[in-house]
Amino acid sequence: MRRFAVPFAALLALVAPCRAEDAKPAPAADPLPEEIVWLQDVPAAFAQAKTEGKPLFLAINAAFVDGGKAEPAGRELRDNTYKAKDVVARSHQFVCVLLKPDGTSADYAELRSRFGMDGLVVSPQHIFAYSDGTLYERREYWPHAAGQASVDALLEMLNRAVAAQAAHAGSPPIAPPVTPPAG
């Protein structure tokens, strides 16, 4: 029986490239946006919600109402509540639309025809619809105090809408994302 010796360095040279490839880190998943991804087109948002099987979150929010009066509740929502980390994280489970007074007539026509809205459209207002476009909840005005109370109120609405979507679609609700503790 013949034996032959292969130098250890030669074996290592053959094995090393495989190990280097195995050691490559997996590509990182795209991070979620750090703010709500607001769509501007209401009919397109309904189509996207249906395609993705996600509920729809429509926020109607004006800076000025009643002939030019500043709208403090709308400002609170835009400047703080919609930017809160927990609200942003939960929003990723929705198709979101921010509709302002300068929205197109097609946007408002879509809302009026789908939800039987008559007369003036008030601001602020939150509308939640199932992925099939049917209405789940519509809340006009925003009676909640600024700060954490406003954030908590919107989170409660978002959580209820996700659970309602799951029940409507016959699947278990999506758990809210876990926010790691600061520090």
Side-chain angles (χ1 to χ4, degrees):
M1 178 192 297
R2 286 182 100 177
R3 290 186 187 183
F4 61 93
V6 176
F8 182 71
L11 281 174
L12 189 58
L14 291 172
V15 173
C18 295
R19 291 182 186 236
E21 285 183 10
D22 292 343
K24 283 184 184 177
D30 289 336
L32 292 174
E34 294 182 12
E35 58 186 34
I36 295 176
V37 178
W38 295 111
L39 300 179
Q40 304 291 316
D41 184 311
V42 173
F46 276 102
Q48 182 177 335
K50 185 174 185 174
T51 300
E52 294 179 6
K54 290 182 174 182
L56 194 64
F57 166 39
L58 293 119
I60 299 172
N61 194 299
F64 300 99
V65 295
D66 297 331
K69 293 180 192 172
E71 173 52 78
R75 183 175 182 159
E76 161 60 30
L77 288 161
R78 286 188 313 277
D79 292 352
N80 300 307
T81 304
Y82 295 155
K83 293 180 180 180
K85 286 185 180 187
D86 291 341
V87 170
V88 170
R90 193 53 147 167
S91 76
H92 299 306
Q93 295 171 325
F94 290 82
V95 173
C96 303
V97 177
L98 179 59
L99 192 56
K100 297 179 181 179
D102 61 352
T104 69
S105 59
D107 291 330
Y108 284 103
E110 183 77 17
L111 293 180
R112 288 179 190 284
S113 69
R114 280 187 184 267
F115 305 133
M117 296 170 68
D118 291 329
L120 296 175
V121 176
V122 301
S123 171
Q125 182 172 166
H126 296 100
I127 302 171
F128 294 91
Y130 298 112
S131 59
D132 64 10
T134 57
L135 181 65
Y136 163 66
E137 180 178 20
R138 178 175 168 219
R139 294 278 175 108
E140 295 180 328
Y141 305 107
W142 192 247
H144 307 286
Q148 192 61 44
S150 181
V151 170
D152 290 345
L154 186 56
L155 275 173
E156 182 182 328
M157 292 173 74
L158 292 166
N159 289 334
R160 280 195 323 261
V162 167
Q165 170 66 35
H168 187 73
S171 62
I174 303 166
V178 177
T179 305

